[in-house]
Amino acid sequence: MMFLLTTVACSAQSAVTVVKADEITKNMAAGKAMQIKNAVIDGDLDFSKAGSAFPVNSAVSETQINGNVYFEKCVFNGNVKAENVRFGSNLIFLENEFQKEVRFQNSSVFGTVNFSKSIFKGNATFANMAVWAKNSYFSEVKASSKFLFDASDFHGNLSLMGSEFADMFSLQETFVQGNLQGSNAKFNGNTDFALLNVLRRTIFKYAGFKSEPDFSESKAKVEK
């Protein structure tokens, strides 16, 4: 089953659909995959409430989400959070606007991750994640605040191509099994690549750095 919501432009003015965040988590908890386009997502969206929780150990539980998660050209006016969540399929956020904090932490994804062309106005944290996919895309994103990938594992390629980061950017202790592609990206704040480990190519051709990036103790052959 799939929860599908699409808003179509009418005449010269586009209709605006508002979807409550708790409606989304309720439908996902019922086993429905998400496909939402051209909508405003109202309220905090917490993926830990979008599925069944199972204990990992005596102190931590993990939420299992099996269906696809797909948002396109949506505006999120609340926080977006996924902590201790296992996504069993694709996690797609194309051309969205996040007005507050985005936090994906201690979670795993067994599918493609794609946040391309999205706008992040608050802090964005993708930390201690494990992504099992051929490609993960954070291409052409625009971030106004901190953007962190600390201690995450990407078991494939990671693309930052053409993105702009206005504040602190960090890949500290991040593992990339394939290629790290950062060509044409702009890093206008401090950058931390300490302990970064990339098994294949690390490409920053035509990338701009406002300050010297920290590659201390990293295992990455950088192509500029």
Side-chain angles (χ1 to χ4, degrees), residues 151-171:
S152 286
D153 294 344
F154 294 91
H155 296 270
N157 304 312
L158 173 61
S159 177
L160 308 171
M161 184 181 292
S163 293
E164 297 183 26
F165 303 98
D167 205 333
M168 173 72 186
F169 178 86
S170 179
L171 282 167

Side-chain angles (χ1 to χ4, degrees), residues 87-92 108-113 131-136:
F87 295 93
S89 193
N90 299 326
L91 185 64
I92 310 297
S108 54
V109 185
F110 293 85
T112 298
V113 173
V131 180
W132 303 85
K134 182 178 180 180
N135 294 296
S136 296

